[in-house]
């Protein structure tokens, strides 16, 4: 069974894509809302949290894990693979790189948390895949995650901050923008309206599902009685509201302790 | 020795006031940055974190503890007193209520995290102390803490959000505003400029130090070789920068595990 984790509700954008393709797939989701956000924390803390999150999913039946959090994908993937060598991990970064490369862009914008952007993983991967041919403009957008977790996704204040964060990327006239955080698809309208219309948006949710479909299609098989569980380390009313609205149906969010 | 804790850097506003009065007092500070913020989490999670934070301070020599976090003061004070009956706890709420009452205001604004405002503790206390004579206008400002932890304290975006959060309080023409979160003094200029000039601002840092000075002056005694330690569960460069700037000198911030 597939397990997915994120610092909070952001990974639900990956779940939404999974359910679009396989409404009756079985999976177990963990959002670590009691310790969210991850993106402004240190690499050591992020690794420790990711290892604990994966342990929880393994204990709850996951045999493969989608790291539905760019911050954890950027900083903890090696640690996860070393800690759990028998588990197959899918990250959200490498499929986004492939999807971006297929667009053959000249200039690419990348946005993410401070930790993700600080890791430079997108820059390095895009330089490698394009043999240095792609210009990359990165911008950390550390307040986007709190805005999403607050459900402030259409407010004038959110638009204002998006404009500030994306100013340099807009000015450089990029061809494509990578949403380097699974929370950001929830802000897609605001982000899109801050950039030129022709900019192609690369959303990790579709990219990681393409990867899973290609490499482990059995994880997306529809079951007769699918098991679909949503755990959060702190499932508040806010968490529940965002989950229900984003997934377009009521999904019971359970609070769990990790250890 | 006095221990102080907060979810992050906010409690440093209390430390700053302590150092202003007693530059050579001994104390141990804990900021739980690895799990910050607290104010959008559930009461159960906040209680659990507060109990763990206090345990850490007790293990590091604290005999009295200043709960330098309004969210923990609002939701975890009873649990702390029950869990550690031999420790003396000072909270930031009851001294602010006394300080507000001394201003004899007719209308009072209260701002805080969602958890603090949701607890209604300020409303109840002000109603009781004034025998129902004070009008209270509360507003949750959940994004203020992320803004402070991001060090975005003078940005136009911060002013814009402050204006939105404080609109109702401004409109009601309050006489006094309680900063019901220890992070908010860092935003004092922005908050002040969103309100009428005559509004008196009640800052919990001064109020809790008045209380400690009155009830346990020995905790504020200057020592020849004071022990002043700053622990954070995740001391990032950001944490260090805010601590140094706010306290006006370099204070080494150490990362610690709680358990």
């Amino acid at each position: 069974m597939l397990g997915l984790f994120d610092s909070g509700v952001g990974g639900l954008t990956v779940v939404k894509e999974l359910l679009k393709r396989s409404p009756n797939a079985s999976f177990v989701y963990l959002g670590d809302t009691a310790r969210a956000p991850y993106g402004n924390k240190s690499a050591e803390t992020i690794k420790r949290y990711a290892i604990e999150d994966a342990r929880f999913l393994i204990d709850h039946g996951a045999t493969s894990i989608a790291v539905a959090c760019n911050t954890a994908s950027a900083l903890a993937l090696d640690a996860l693979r070393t800690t759990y060598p028998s588990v197959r991990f899918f990250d959200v970064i490498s499929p986004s790189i492939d999807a971006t490369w297929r667009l053959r862009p000249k200039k690419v914008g990348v946005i993410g948390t401070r930790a993700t952007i600080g890791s430079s993983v997108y820059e390095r991967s895009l330089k490698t895949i394009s043999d240095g041919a792609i210009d990359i403009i990165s911008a950390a957008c550390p307040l986007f995650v709190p805005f999403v977790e607050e459900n402030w996704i259409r407010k004038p204040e959110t638009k204002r901050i998006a404009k500030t964060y994306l100013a340099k990327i807009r000015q450089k006239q990029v061809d494509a923008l990578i949403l380097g955080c699974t929370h950001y698809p929830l802000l897609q309208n605001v982000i899109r309206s801050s950039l030129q219309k022709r900019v192609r948006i690369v959303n990790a949710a579709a990219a990681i599902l393409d990867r899973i479909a290609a490499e482990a299609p059995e994880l997306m098989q529809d079951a007769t009685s699918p098991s679909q569980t949503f755990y959060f380390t702190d499932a508040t009313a806010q968490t529940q509201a965002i989950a229900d609205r984003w997934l377009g149906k009521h999904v019971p969010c359970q609070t769990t302790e990790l250890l």
Side-chain angles (χ1 to χ4, degrees), chain A residues 149-163:
Chain A
E149 299 273 345
E150 272 310 304
N151 217 353
W152 266 38
I153 61 179
R154 280 169 224 275
K155 296 257 185 187
E157 288 79 3
T158 317
K159 288 182 190 159
R160 172 74 185 258
I161 289 223
K163 220 172 154 183

Side-chain angles (χ1 to χ4, degrees), chain A residues 51-124:
Chain A
I51 287 170
E52 291 171 5
D53 296 342
R55 161 69 23 206
F56 175 89
L57 291 174
I58 295 163
D59 290 347
H60 286 73
T63 50
S64 295
I65 292 178
V67 183
C69 168
N70 294 64
T71 302
S73 293
L75 290 140
L77 194 64
D78 291 346
L80 286 167
R81 288 185 170 140
T82 308
T83 310
Y84 309 111
S86 64
V87 174
R88 182 173 204 162
F89 286 96
F90 294 93
D91 74 295
V92 277
I93 294 174
S94 116
S96 296
I97 298 290
D98 289 351
T100 307
W101 181 233
R102 279 197 295 275
L103 302 172
R104 290 296 183 270
K106 295 211 174 79
K107 284 188 207 164
V108 173
V110 181
I111 56 174
T113 64
R114 181 177 298 116
T116 299
I117 298 302
S119 77
S120 302
V121 59
Y122 283 99
E123 282 89 332
R124 273 183 283 119

Side-chain angles (χ1 to χ4, degrees), chain A residues 35 38 40-52 71 75-76 79 115:
Chain A
R35 303 188 293 192
Y38 282 4
N40 54 356
K41 285 162 189 162
S42 68
E44 284 319 301
T45 294
I46 294 160
K47 275 180 209 166
R48 181 158 62 86
Y49 287 177
I51 287 170
E52 291 171 5
T71 302
L75 290 140

Side-chain angles (χ1 to χ4, degrees), chain A residues 5 48 69 79 101 130 133 140 168 173 237 255:
Chain A
F5 77 86
R48 181 158 62 86
C69 168
W101 181 233
S130 72
K168 205 177 58 176
Q173 310 213 352
T255 292

Side-chain angles (χ1 to χ4, degrees), chain A residues 95-109 125-126 128-131 133-136 173-178 198-202:
Chain A
S96 296
I97 298 290
D98 289 351
T100 307
W101 181 233
R102 279 197 295 275
L103 302 172
R104 290 296 183 270
K106 295 211 174 79
K107 284 188 207 164
V108 173
S125 308
L126 287 170
T128 304
I129 204 169
S130 72
D131 209 8
I134 295 180
D135 266 357
I136 301 137
Q173 310 213 352
V174 298
D175 310 305
L177 176 76
I178 300 180
R198 55 169 190 77
V199 176
R200 306 280 297 270
I201 304 264
V202 180

Side-chain angles (χ1 to χ4, degrees), chain A residues 9 33-34 149 232-243 253-255:
Chain A
V9 296
T33 37
E149 299 273 345
F232 289 86
T233 50
D234 196 8
T236 62
Q238 188 79 348
T239 313
Q240 185 66 61
I242 297 174
C253 296
Q254 304 173 48
T255 292

